[in-house]
Amino acid sequence: VEAASDAVDVLVREFWPGGRSRLELAVKLERLLAVWLLNCFEHSKDPPGFSTYFLPSFMSHSCRPNSMWHHEGDSFVLRARDDIAQGAEV
């Protein structure tokens, strides 16, 4: 993550008005948000709910993954987010 979204920039302006560089804080918050999103699992649709599981978060993984999984019915589907070189860890 090299830049912050508009929403994260608003949060930084509201909650951290002084001190460190707002841009630096916004980028850090954007990275933390990405880590949370990539390590949580949807557990309910109505209302929307997400869980972060402590032990699986310690397994070998990347917080900037080259693939992502999702549900299709009763199946888990793994999709590449980018080209993956032969022999590279997925």
Side-chain angles (χ1 to χ4, degrees):
V1 176
E2 301 296 326
S5 64
D6 291 340
V8 167
D9 191 48
V10 168
L11 287 172
V12 170
R13 278 198 316 267
E14 292 296 319
F15 291 106
W16 295 284
R20 294 171 51 183
S21 159
R22 279 203 322 229
L23 176 60
E24 180 184 350
L25 284 169
V27 170
K28 185 172 187 174
L29 185 57
E30 194 72 42
R31 287 180 182 154
L32 290 170
L33 180 60
V35 167
W36 179 78
L37 288 172
L38 294 169
N39 284 287
C40 72
F41 300 87
E42 183 177 2
H43 71 82
S44 67
K45 293 189 184 281
D46 190 23
F50 296 89
S51 295
T52 302
Y53 296 96
F54 183 72
L55 291 177
S57 69
F58 287 98
M59 294 188 312
S60 176
H61 73 286
S62 172
C63 290
R64 297 178 67 188
N66 57 10
S67 59
M68 294 187 74
W69 65 271
H70 64 92
H71 291 103
E72 280 187 10
D74 291 334
S75 299
F76 290 100
V77 178
L78 183 68
R79 297 198 188 273
R81 297 181 73 210
D82 205 350
D83 293 336
I84 302 173
Q86 185 173 349
E89 186 175 13
V90 177

